[in-house]
Amino acid sequence: MKIPFNKPYHSDKAMDYIKKVIDSGNIGGDGYFTGKCKKLLETRLGVKNILLTTSCTHSLELAIKLINIEQDQEVIMPSYTFPSTANSVLVNGGKVVFTEVNHDDLCIDASKIEEKITQRTKAIIVVHYGGNPCDMDKIMGIAHKYGLYVIEDAAQGLLSTYKGRQLGTIGHFGCFSFHETKNVSAGEGGAVTINSDDENLIRRAEYIRQKGTNRIDFNNKNVEFYQWVDLGSSYCPSEILMAYLFSQLKNIDDIHSKRLKIFNRYLEILDNIESDKIQYYAKGNKSEAFNAHIFYIIFKKEAYADEFMDILKANDISAYRHFVPLHLSKMGLSLGYEVNDFPYERDLYKKLIRLPIYPDMTEEQLNKMERIIVEAIN
């Protein structure tokens, strides 16, 4: 019995919705299904303004453009994140400033942020790792004190909360992913929340998203022609992607409950194992809504993680490590960072293993996972 690492949720309505788009003859962006996804997400997240994009990468880039970052202005972010977090700053002329993560939830260590702030600091990007919330009260307090923007990289955070508030709705902007590996998927896709009532900011976001044109004004019949009005790019997804995404969003509660059941099963398995080889494993956040995006085990030694991976592989179970910390990467080193700048992150990525988790996992597969996990760790 092979167990893949990920298997995207399948909705039986997906092909019907896609066929509806094709039959309509309007497969470009900002059509019927984009509107349906937008409305559903705004209602679910409790926000007034969300824009669908082609990826979380593009959502991050759009957010950085909206804060008008100037050459070499600094943005603080964790080193332990995906390259898109840093790329969004660099492609817009900003400077990346890395910092550390907490040792339990792997979210940005809020106590380390203030020491990184300089006169050139423009923003903080927080990454809600695995659906775990960052310490947003402390982070927003720091941002207010120094007049900084906060961008939430909530690529993995859809449906998780912080003190009852949806992740991605607390900072000035929130960025989501609908990549194939995420809980709700369009293959590729993303969204950005604009957590402001500033109509000029919202309109500018629309301009940037539509290649720097005022197409939104044209579509709303406010102008006779649309034209180039701002710097922008092509961040608008096609209706085919949005039809597929809508089929997933309509089943979001089913997806969520199935993932949470698997996460809790893993938690039960690990809670019943006494081992001096494990440093930490995913716990979730019992006081908050939690989306069960990732279940990970951090071993005390790289050798333990290597052996665990070998045993899973020998039993046809697919598991993965995660991010190579950005300060360790070829690009990170070229920015002047050194291998030993963040010792915890330096070792973390070699010791962390993510287990398979997807809605269609069967009881038979979970029983096999339990048997192999217990045998391997023992």
Side-chain angles (χ1 to χ4, degrees):
M1 185 203 315
K2 292 184 178 180
I3 301 177
F5 176 70
N6 178 59
K7 185 179 177 183
Y9 182 87
H10 174 69
S11 166
D12 57 6
K13 288 289 187 180
M15 292 307 296
D16 292 339
Y17 293 160
I18 290 170
K19 184 177 185 302
K20 183 175 181 177
V21 172
I22 294 170
D23 289 346
S24 76
N26 298 309
I27 63 173
D30 284 344
Y32 174 80
F33 282 105
T34 301
K36 297 290 281 186
C37 290
K38 175 180 169 68
K39 184 176 180 180
L40 194 155
L41 284 166
E42 286 174 347
T43 300
R44 192 62 186 249
L45 296 175
V47 295
K48 293 181 180 179
N49 303 293
I50 191 164
L51 300 179
L52 278 302
T53 64
T54 42
S55 66
C56 187
T57 302
H58 279 168
S59 292
L60 287 162
E61 289 179 15
L62 198 160
I64 291 292
K65 290 181 189 300
L66 285 170
I67 68 173
N68 298 315
I69 197 164
E70 296 177 2
Q71 189 71 30
D72 291 331
Q73 283 189 320
E74 298 167 354
V75 178
I76 299 167
M77 67 184 67
S79 171
Y80 193 66
T81 185
F82 192 69
S84 293
T85 317
N87 278 333
S88 67
V89 175
L90 296 177
V91 299
N92 284 292
K95 180 180 178 181
V96 168
V97 176
F98 293 129
T99 189
E100 300 164 67
V101 295
N102 297 314
H103 293 190
D104 48 4
D105 59 19
L106 306 187
C107 291
I108 191 168
D109 186 341
S111 70
K112 302 288 186 180
I113 292 174
E114 205 160 359
E115 65 190 44
K116 305 290 183 182
I117 295 173
T118 71
Q119 291 184 338
R120 300 289 297 167
T121 306
K122 183 80 171 186
I124 305 163
I125 300 182
V126 302
V127 181
H128 299 298
Y129 182 80
N132 288 308
C134 298
D135 186 350
M136 293 306 295
D137 280 350
K138 187 166 186 176
I139 291 164
M140 295 306 294
I142 292 169
H144 180 73
K145 179 180 177 180
Y146 292 95
L148 306 177
Y149 289 99
V150 174
I151 299 169
E152 295 178 72
D153 183 338
Q156 302 171 359
L158 184 66
L159 289 196
S160 285
T161 63
Y162 173 81
K163 296 188 177 180
R165 299 178 66 184
Q166 295 285 333
L167 300 189
T169 71
I170 305 165
H172 298 91
F173 306 96
C175 302
F176 297 91
S177 173
F178 302 118
H179 184 265
E180 175 188 353
T181 58
K182 300 305 186 290
N183 296 21
V184 174
S185 168
E188 293 279 359
V192 56
T193 57
I194 302 162
N195 304 319
S196 169
D197 293 325
D198 184 344
E199 291 297 331
N200 290 328
L201 181 69
I202 296 162
R203 188 177 298 108
R204 182 165 181 248
E206 288 278 16
Y207 294 166
I208 292 170
R209 177 175 169 272
Q210 279 283 6
K211 309 169 188 68
T213 71
N214 61 342
R215 186 184 182 93
I216 184 70
D217 298 332
F218 176 77
N219 289 343
N220 290 335
K221 304 188 186 308
N222 294 326
V223 294
E224 187 176 357
F225 302 96
Y226 71 91
Q227 60 181 300
W228 186 21
V229 295
D230 203 336
L231 291 175
S233 193
S234 186
Y235 296 150
C236 180
S238 79
E239 277 296 286
I240 293 174
L241 283 181
M242 293 299 94
Y244 187 87
L245 178 62
F246 185 63
S247 76
Q248 298 250 320
L249 289 171
K250 292 284 283 185
N251 291 280
I252 195 168
D253 291 317
D254 186 43
I255 294 169
H256 176 66
S257 63
K258 287 178 177 178
R259 293 186 73 97
L260 196 59
K261 178 182 176 182
I262 297 161
F263 185 97
N264 287 334
R265 178 73 176 273
Y266 283 148
L267 194 58
E268 182 182 346
I269 294 167
L270 270 293
D271 282 345
N272 290 324
I273 297 175
E274 293 185 11
S275 174
D276 60 359
K277 297 177 177 66
I278 296 173
Q279 177 177 314
Y280 191 84
Y281 53 89
K283 299 289 199 302
N285 192 319
K286 298 302 181 185
S287 64
E288 297 286 349
F290 178 63
N291 70 358
H293 178 61
I294 291 174
F295 192 95
Y296 61 87
I297 303 172
I298 303 174
F299 290 88
K300 287 186 177 178
K301 294 182 181 180
E302 180 184 349
Y304 298 154
D306 289 342
E307 188 170 354
F308 185 74
M309 282 283 279
D310 288 343
I311 294 170
L312 294 183
K313 185 177 180 181
N315 285 277
D316 288 324
I317 297 169
S318 181
Y320 285 92
R321 288 179 161 90
H322 215 178
F323 310 130
V324 174
L326 298 187
H327 82 279
L328 283 182
S329 67
K330 182 177 179 180
M331 274 295 296
L333 295 172
S334 75
L335 295 174
Y337 285 90
E338 298 181 0
V339 171
N340 294 323
D341 280 342
F342 306 111
Y344 180 74
E345 286 80 354
R346 177 197 62 204
D347 299 329
L348 170 66
Y349 80 103
K350 298 177 182 178
K351 300 188 297 184
L352 184 148
I353 306 294
R354 293 179 295 153
L355 300 181
I357 183 168
Y358 52 90
D360 290 339
M361 285 188 78
T362 65
E363 188 65 25
E364 187 180 10
Q365 288 174 320
L366 281 169
N367 288 337
K368 177 178 178 178
M369 287 299 304
E370 179 170 7
R371 177 174 60 82
I372 301 301
I373 289 169
V374 172
E375 289 177 3
I377 292 175
N378 287 338

